Amino acid sequence: VIAESATSIEQSYILDKQANQEHEELHKSLSPEFIKLDHAFHEEAKNLALAAKAKNPAKIADSFARMNQSCMECHSAFATRRFPGFDQK
């Protein structure tokens, strides 16, 4: 279940799904910091899926913690209106 969920998250990376022109327009509209954080989140989802498939509890826990950290960093920087609890100010 962990591997399936993490793979689904990884594959939802919108920046990989856009056609060339859409991809370019999307990149122009997003800040470099957002793109960096979003990429890190999806990479951690990939790492979590790999750890789950390998049935490695230590790597699962590490990847899950890193993925959650990515969520919190991005939400506190870019989604405080939608998630006011993440506002660190």
Side-chain angles (χ1 to χ4, degrees):
V1 173
I2 293 170
E4 289 175 15
S5 295
T7 298
S8 178
I9 291 168
E10 177 204 356
Q11 292 175 349
S12 71
Y13 190 44
I14 193 164
L15 295 177
D16 282 344
K17 293 186 175 201
Q18 303 300 312
N20 287 338
Q21 185 176 2
E22 291 173 329
H23 186 267
E24 190 173 312
E25 289 174 15
L26 185 58
H27 265 273
K28 287 179 184 177
S29 70
L30 299 172
S31 74
E33 182 62 19
F34 176 86
I35 292 170
K36 178 183 168 186
L37 291 171
D38 191 49
H39 179 73
F41 169 73
H42 290 279
E43 279 296 307
E44 283 307 327
K46 177 182 176 180
N47 292 338
L48 178 58
L50 292 172
K53 288 174 186 175
K55 299 181 181 180
N56 185 325
K59 286 187 179 181
I60 290 170
D62 183 59
S63 292
F64 185 70
R66 289 175 188 262
M67 194 174 80
N68 281 329
Q69 183 63 36
S70 294
C71 292
M72 293 187 313
E73 287 178 31
C74 191
H75 286 186
S76 68
F78 298 102
T80 55
R81 280 192 219 156
R82 185 166 181 169
F83 302 101
F86 283 102
D87 190 358
Q88 295 180 358
K89 296 176 186 173

